[in-house]
Amino acid sequence: MPSLIYHGHSNFELLGGDARLLIDPFFTGNPKADVAADQLGPVNLVLLTHGHGDHLGDGVAIARRHGATVVAPYELAMFCQTKGCTVHAMHIGGAWTSAAGRIKMVVALHGGGVDGDTTGQHTTFPCGYVVTLDGKSIYHTGDTALTQDMQLLRDRVDVMLLPIGDNYTMGIEDAARAVEFVRPGVAIPMHYNTFELINADPQAFARRVGALSKVVILEPGARYEV
Ligand code: NI
Ligand code: MN
């Protein structure tokens, strides 16, 4: 049975079998992070939804330290390669069966700039991921607006990780509609209360979702068995 650990903001660790995957490993500078980047155990894959600093985070340093492979949209993967990482480039709509589980890259509607890319040549499309581990599907939406594309995943997701903080992404109202689109078994809110501009009440989100799906609110450091 896979499990996930929340490290605050949009930073999740997924564990299944011998595999340990990180998604959007923002530790340094993340006021909600429960551990430091150098306190993590061995990591196989580092998945990046996009290149903004609060998602790219410590990804390059962690991948280099553990010899982990960075999975990212092609242009962002090439950026990480220039920083000395082993990379696996993908793009929207494609799936890859890695040794650590099946990874599908899906649509997210957001900005594509890459922090630290002074050339501008690594600007890309941001993405979300559907990771299938031990037969369970975990959908990390990345930073995104509510999109109709989410409906393509209806009834195909066990756990949905989605932003509720508004301003840069969906707020509570649209996030609840996203849950209505996807109908996951469990919805876990993310990307809120990290900075004042994205303060949001996860209980208000849970009330809005109501009986559509089970909402699980994780404190940083909490582990959830999928
Ligand atoms: Ni972003
Ligand atoms: Mn963000």
Side-chain angles (χ1 to χ4, degrees):
M1 212 162 64
S3 59
L4 56 84
I5 301 171
Y6 186 43
H7 293 302
H9 203 55
S10 296
N11 180 348
F12 285 87
E13 188 172 345
L14 308 185
L15 303 123
D18 295 332
R20 187 194 301 255
L21 292 73
L22 298 178
I23 306 181
D24 289 352
F26 173 42
F27 293 94
T28 306
N30 175 0
K32 296 290 180 181
D34 59 301
V35 291
D38 60 8
Q39 291 176 291
L40 297 167
V43 176
N44 304 98
L45 296 177
V46 176
L47 278 57
L48 303 174
T49 62
H50 63 295
H52 292 162
D54 57 320
H55 299 262
L56 177 57
D58 299 283
V60 166
I62 290 168
R64 288 180 53 157
R65 185 179 307 128
H66 295 281
T69 299
V70 172
V71 178
Y74 178 82
E75 296 79 7
L76 176 56
M78 292 303 107
F79 173 77
C80 294
Q81 195 171 57
T82 68
K83 300 293 180 188
C85 296
T86 301
V87 302
H88 181 93
M90 297 180 64
H91 241 305
I92 314 291
W96 172 50
T97 302
S98 77
R102 182 176 189 265
I103 294 163
K104 182 162 184 181
M105 192 173 276
V106 298
V107 170
L109 194 57
H110 190 64
V114 174
D115 277 11
D117 171 25
T118 53
T119 66
Q121 64 185 356
H122 297 288
T123 300
T124 187
F125 282 95
C127 72
Y129 290 99
V130 179
V131 179
T132 307
L133 283 176
D134 301 339
K136 298 283 188 179
S137 290
I138 298 156
Y139 171 29
H140 187 299
T141 68
D143 276 1
T144 186
L146 178 67
T147 73
Q148 298 218 343
D149 301 86
M150 290 171 175
Q151 299 186 55
L152 299 171
L153 294 171
R154 187 169 187 140
D155 296 329
R156 290 164 183 261
V157 173
D158 294 299
V159 178
M160 183 177 187
L161 315 173
L162 75 170
I164 64 165
D166 225 331
N167 195 76
Y168 301 111
T169 67
M170 296 186 283
I172 285 171
E173 186 180 346
D174 281 355
R177 294 187 70 197
V179 170
E180 196 178 334
F181 282 175
V182 177
R183 299 284 175 109
V186 170
I188 298 177
M190 64 179 185
H191 211 272
Y192 68 96
N193 291 356
T194 320
F195 314 110
E196 198 174 340
L197 195 51
I198 59 169
N199 279 353
D201 177 6
Q203 301 292 351
F205 168 67
R207 283 193 297 275
R208 191 129 195 155
V209 169
L212 282 176
S213 284
K214 182 180 172 188
V215 172
V216 173
I217 299 164
L218 296 179
E219 292 299 322
R223 183 175 179 138
Y224 180 76
E225 305 286 335
V226 177

